[in-house]
């Protein structure tokens, strides 16, 4: 990779960290990557993305159903939180936590939906960034 | 094996064995190569964990479903050293998985979750998880998980050694061959002395305590009985060493001795009662609170009924305690005493089984066959038994008395492989029983029982019996219980299945196998007692010996059999726990083998020959189960144990089939 490429990569990753999207868990993942698994981080991110997309879909379904099954929602969020924290998706994790609190409170579905939408948007953006980061890493 | 040599040997052996179990893991490379099974439904997490563990140089197997993980563990009992599991999983609750693993395989389990709430973490603790990790899991946290494996092993060995050391201290040349088991040795010594005279025993004990440079106390059956009586009088919650000491009023006994013994006893009780009762309890998650009450209660109840001499109770408890250790990794304090039993049994099991079997035969005869032993016969037996290993003998005497039980016992013996475990445990009990029981038994129901069978008088021969005696002792023990119930002693036995079995068993000279079976037999015996006790619970005798098999069999056979270790059961008076909790086998193979799938019980459930037909559903006491069965496995951490276990496995395997037939099992299956 040329110098610029590397710089871009670094900048990309750093931005993610700076914005609080990623935390040091991600660094740990990076450290796990080695010659034997050169694409480890990318694999993980991809896996995460796939899994969380599925999860989000489930969450949406739950949100759309009436009445809202908050416990199920809570489960999903818990799962989501676990996944995202494992890869170091800090912001997503914290959003999940907040979301869960709302679920616990059984708040108005509208609110939850709203929160969820926000979360999702963030997540998608996040994925984009991570995808970039992962790609940048592997190059 | 000698306790001393065994101990050291054991520890080294076990360590090497343990690591070897992994396959290529070599002790010196430890913790590299540690075989980890990680279970998590989240694929992302799973992958990350796998990578991290590999980076720690562990041997990782990942699994995204709890059921898959369980079957993997069951298929390959020695295949893993530690399990890491997520709490929230779709197909099975993580804690449930934790319980299963603890019961069946007695492996250290680490829970993890994104949930860091105090309640959840507490739940992990109460269910016996050895650690709880919060997600995201960092690699640093994983680097140290090997400590849990070492700790668990260490506890098991420690118990084993403890018993061994005690034994060595007092051991006199044991007549019984089971010198391996230090505890048994003690018992043996004790028994032999008992043979001579009770007071002699006491003297021995006293001597031991007074003359030994180190105040090493041999917790003989009698002594333990006194201890238990004192504890019960004070109330388990209020029992403090000082008061217990005062109540016991045994010269030469120090408060420290009582304190340490009390500690073990408490662990034992906890084990019996299960984790539910005590948050910090062992991992006997399977033990329900009911069990807990059961175990100790049963024993006590049994004791109360008179049949089960306090000693026996104590013995059982001790055994149970010992056993529990295996399970929960808690050192079995009682193990020492029980160990004797258990040791003997395991010994029998393993290798000596054959030898013992022979002896057992005699013993078994005794057991199974309600020999109409006259009191004096019993006495005679008693003596012989003492020589045999004390443990056995006492059993015999009992057996004679409860001859009825014998058949039961015998039957148990049938499941030989299984019986082993039981035997061990029973043996442990037997000695105890013998002492207290021998005498009372004679007077009590023994008489009633005795008449029933007779084939066994030969067992009285005791000497050869020793090995068997172990089992027989165990058996006898239960018998004693039965003796309480006049005539009932073998109500169980009378059950068609049983009675028939018993005689057959008795005859089956396979004592060797029987011994094992007897072990299993015992449980039935307990059942008996249980029945008589008024708590006819389904005490399915599980083949103790067949730990491995038992799990299979027991499950299949009995279905409901509570696998409370048959041995234990016998000893413990088989609290009819649901078989479901049979974890007996587990106990047996604490060495790391997965003891059959035992129900909640401490896993020690030795599946006693389930010969006890369903009719004989005895509530196997957890305690009993735990004790005997557990005793062995745990203590036997030593290499011998391991090898024995392994051998046992082989042996048991065939037996399993036998066990399988529940009904005709005892007899038909018993490989003659």
């Amino acid at each position: 990779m040329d110098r610029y490429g590397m710089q871009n990569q670094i900048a990309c990753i750093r931005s993610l960290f700076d914005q609080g999207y990623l935390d040091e868990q991600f660094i740990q993942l990076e450290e796990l990557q080695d010659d034997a698994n050169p694409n480890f981080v990318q694999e993980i991110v991809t896996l995460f993305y796939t899994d969380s997309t599925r999860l989000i879909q489930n969450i949406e379904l739950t949100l759309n159903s009436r009445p809202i099954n908050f416990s199920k929602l809570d489960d999903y969020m818990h799962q989501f939180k676990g996944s995202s924290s494992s890869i170091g998706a800090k912001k997503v994790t914290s959003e999940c936590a907040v979301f869960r609190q709302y679920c616990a409170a059984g708040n108005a579905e509208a609110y939850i939906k709203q929160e969820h939408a926000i979360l999702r948007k963030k997540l998608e953006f996040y994925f984009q960034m991570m995808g970039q980061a992962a790609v940048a890493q592997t190059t | 094996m000698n306790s001393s040599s065994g101990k050291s040997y054991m520890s080294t052996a076990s360590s090497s064995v343990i690591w070897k179990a992994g396959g290529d893991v070599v002790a010196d490379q430890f913790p590299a190569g540690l075989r980890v099974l990680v279970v998590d439904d989240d694929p992302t997490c799973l992958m990350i964990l796998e990578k991290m563990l590999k980076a720690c140089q562990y041997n990782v197997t990942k699994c995204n479903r709890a059921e898959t993980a369980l079957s993997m563990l069951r298929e390959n009992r020695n295949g893993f050293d530690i399990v890491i599991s997520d709490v929230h999983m779709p197909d099975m609750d993580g804690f449930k998985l934790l319980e299963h693993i603890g019961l069946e395989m007695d492996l250290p389990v680490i829970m993890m979750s994104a949930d860091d709430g105090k309640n959840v973490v507490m739940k992990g603790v109460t269910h016996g998880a050895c650690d709880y990790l919060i997600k995201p899991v960092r690699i640093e946290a994983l680097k140290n998980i090997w400590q849990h494996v070492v700790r668990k092993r260490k506890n098991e060995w420690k118990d084993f050694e403890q018993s061994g050391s005690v034994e060595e201290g007092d051991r006199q040349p044991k007549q019984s061959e089971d010198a391996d088991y230090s505890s048994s040795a003690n018992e043996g010594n004790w028994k032999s002395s008992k043979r001579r005279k009770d007071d002699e025993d006491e003297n021995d004990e006293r001597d031991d305590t007074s003359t030994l440079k180190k105040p090493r106390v041999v917790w003989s059956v009698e002594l333990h009985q006194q201890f238990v009586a004192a504890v019960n009088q004070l109330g388990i919650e209020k029992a403090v060493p000082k008061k217990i000491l005062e109540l016991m009023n045994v010269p030469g006994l120090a408060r420290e001795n009582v304190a340490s013994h009390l500690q073990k006893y408490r662990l034992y009780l906890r084990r019996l009662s299960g984790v539910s009762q005590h948050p910090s309890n062992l991992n006997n998650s399977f033990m329900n609170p009911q069990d807990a009450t059961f175990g100790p209660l049963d024993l006590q109840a049994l004791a109360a009924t008179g049949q089960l001499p306090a000693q026996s109770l104590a013995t059982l408890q001790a055994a149970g305690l010992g056993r529990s250790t295996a399970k929960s990794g808690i050192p079995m304090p009682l193990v020492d005493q029980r160990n004797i039993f258990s040791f003997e049994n395991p010994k029998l099991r393993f290798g000596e089984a054959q030898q013992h079997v022979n002896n057992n035969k005699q013993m078994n005869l005794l057991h199974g066959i309600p020999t109409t032993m006259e009191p004096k016969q019993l006495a005679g037996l008693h003596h012989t038994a003492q020589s045999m290993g004390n443990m056995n003998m006492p059993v015999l005497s009992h057996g004679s008395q409860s001859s009825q039980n014998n058949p039961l016992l015998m039957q148990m013996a049938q499941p030989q492989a299984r019986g082993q475990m039981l035997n061990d445990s029973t043996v442990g009990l037997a000695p105890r029983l013998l002492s207290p029981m021998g005498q009372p038994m004679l007077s009590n129901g023994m008489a009633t029982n005795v008449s029933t069978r007779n084939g066994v008088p030969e067992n009285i021969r005791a000497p050869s019996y020793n090995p068997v005696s172990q089992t027989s002792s165990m058996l006898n023990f239960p018998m004693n219980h039965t003796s309480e119930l006049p005539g009932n002693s073998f109500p169980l036995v009378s059950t068609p299945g049983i009675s028939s079995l018993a005689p057959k068993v008795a005859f089956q000279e396979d004592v060797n196998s029987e011994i094992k079976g007897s072990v299993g037999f015992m449980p039935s015996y307990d059942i008996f007692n249980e029945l008589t006790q008024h708590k006819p619970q389904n005490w399915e005798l599980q083949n103790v010996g067949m730990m491995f098999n038992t799990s299979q069999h027991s499950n299949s056979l009995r279905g409901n059999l509570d696998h409370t270790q048959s041995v234990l059961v016998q000893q413990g008076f088989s609290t009819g726990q649901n078989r479901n909790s049979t974890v007996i086998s587990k106990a047996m193979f604490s060495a790391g083998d997965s003891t059959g799938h035992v129900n909640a019980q401490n896993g020690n459930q030795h599946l006693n020959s389930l010969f006890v037909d369903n009719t004989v559903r005895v509530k196997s006491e957890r305690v009993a189960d735990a004790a005997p069965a557990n005793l062995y496995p745990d203590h036997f951490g030593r290499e011998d144990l391991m090898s024995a276990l392994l051998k046992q496995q082989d042996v048991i395997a065939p037996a399993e089939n036998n066990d399988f037939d529940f009904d005709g099992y005892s007899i038909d299956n018993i490989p003659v």
Side-chain angles (χ1 to χ4, degrees), chain B residues 66-115:
Chain B
E67 292 291 348
T68 317
L70 256 186
S71 53
M72 256 198 248
L73 286 166
R74 283 177 187 148
E75 281 167 25
N76 191 0
R77 287 195 184 270
N78 276 339
F80 300 100
D81 297 311
I82 190 166
V83 180
I84 302 181
S85 169
D86 186 34
V87 167
H88 296 271
M89 288 192 287
D91 61 334
M92 188 195 288
D93 183 35
F95 293 117
K96 204 145 190 331
L97 177 66
L98 164 62
E99 284 182 13
H100 277 298
I101 297 177
L103 284 177
E104 298 176 29
M105 294 116 208
D106 196 21
L107 286 176
V109 182
I110 296 178
M111 301 304 295
M112 61 176 175
S113 176
D115 196 348

Side-chain angles (χ1 to χ4, degrees), chain A residues 13-116:
Chain A
I13 299 270
R14 176 171 292 168
S15 74
L16 284 177
F17 278 103
D18 290 344
Q19 294 171 55
Y21 283 108
L22 287 178
D23 59 17
E24 60 179 49
Q25 177 72 11
F26 192 73
I27 296 177
Q28 290 224 342
L29 293 188
E30 289 181 337
E31 284 171 2
L32 283 176
Q33 183 162 294
D34 54 16
D35 292 338
N37 294 78
N39 298 329
F40 178 66
V41 178
Q42 188 175 16
E43 284 173 16
I44 290 285
V45 171
T46 310
L47 194 55
F48 173 69
Y49 188 65
T50 314
D51 194 42
S52 55
T53 307
R54 175 186 60 86
L55 210 52
I56 289 179
Q57 282 173 1
N58 285 342
I59 292 174
E60 276 198 343
L61 277 174
T62 314
L63 279 175
N64 288 334
S65 69
R66 294 291 175 277
I68 293 183
N69 188 344
F70 284 108
S71 71
K72 211 166 172 199
L73 205 55
D74 187 64
D75 275 350
Y76 286 137
M77 292 316 290
H78 176 81
Q79 263 185 282
F80 197 30
K81 183 177 167 209
S83 297
S84 53
S85 66
S86 292
I87 66 160
K90 187 163 80 169
K91 207 148 195 187
V92 176
T93 308
S94 54
E95 291 292 337
C96 282
V98 171
F99 196 89
R100 280 186 87 201
Q101 285 175 6
Y102 285 124
C103 283
N107 273 357
E109 116 195 15
Y111 184 83
I112 288 180
K113 266 198 143 166
Q114 176 192 3
E115 282 298 318
H116 174 65

